Amino acid sequence: MSDPTATLPDALRRLGKVHHVALIVRSIEEAGRFWRETLGLELESVMDIGSDRVRIAFLTVGESKVELVEPTDGTTGVARFLAAKGEGFHHVCFEVSDLAQALVAIGAQGVELIDREPRRGAEGPVAFLHPRSCHGVLVELIEAPGGPAWSTVGFEPSS
């Protein structure tokens, strides 16, 4: 039997690490205490993402992260998610080497894309795949540091 991934570009076939797993929370301070004090994860950063109307925190675990996402506006998709489902798992994010190339390849496979091109995320160029095409899971892709989309979405070249 042939390898079904053999025709996929390297940017898609060879996903990098799990960059992060995102959890929706009511309060970063409250949830963060559990992840820091009980589980011993280190707080890396907390930032407001005004364009998405959320506040996020990244906690490191090995080479990956846990992202806590707190809505700052009750009208957003994140706020609706919290109201309907409560706190918990929201999405998984995988690192790719060339995000634009990965999106073209994934779209050609018939996967429904939320973002058809890279956009600016908190830690690099990102794009989302619709849960309808991913067996109910929201999937985020982030381009590895210094990849081709970094300057396109306004990030400084990595050192």
Side-chain angles (χ1 to χ4, degrees):
M1 188 164 141
S2 66
D3 178 4
T5 67
T7 60
L8 298 176
D10 284 345
L12 177 57
R13 184 165 33 94
R14 294 196 179 110
L15 288 177
K17 66 184 177 185
V18 172
H19 184 273
H20 67 266
V21 174
L23 310 172
I24 302 298
V25 299
R26 284 182 178 76
S27 164
I28 283 178
E29 287 76 21
E30 188 177 314
R33 274 193 299 279
F34 168 77
W35 291 94
R36 287 186 331 274
E37 295 171 13
T38 305
L39 297 181
L41 275 63
E42 182 178 329
L43 179 65
E44 179 183 289
S45 62
V46 177
M47 63 187 90
D48 289 314
I49 308 296
S51 59
D52 292 335
R53 296 175 293 191
V54 296
R55 186 169 175 237
I56 64 172
F58 282 109
L59 299 110
T60 56
V61 55
E63 66 173 17
S64 298
K65 302 174 187 189
V66 171
E67 178 186 25
L68 304 179
V69 182
E70 174 188 333
T72 58
D73 178 322
T75 65
T76 64
V78 170
R80 289 190 301 275
F81 179 98
L82 181 61
K85 298 181 180 186
E87 294 182 304
F89 176 78
H90 186 255
H91 69 266
V92 61
C93 179
F94 295 101
E95 188 174 279
V96 297
S97 59
D98 184 327
L99 183 54
Q101 183 183 31
L103 290 171
V104 168
I106 293 168
Q109 299 274 327
V111 173
E112 184 177 350
L113 306 175
I114 293 173
D115 300 298
R116 297 204 167 277
E117 57 188 44
R119 65 179 175 91
R120 186 178 177 92
E123 295 197 322
V126 300
F128 285 87
L129 313 180
H130 202 288
R132 284 189 290 257
S133 292
C134 304
H135 302 275
V137 176
L138 179 62
V139 175
E140 179 182 13
L141 302 175
I142 187 168
E143 190 166 274
W150 278 65
S151 60
T152 305
V153 298
F155 282 99
E156 294 293 322
S158 66
S159 47

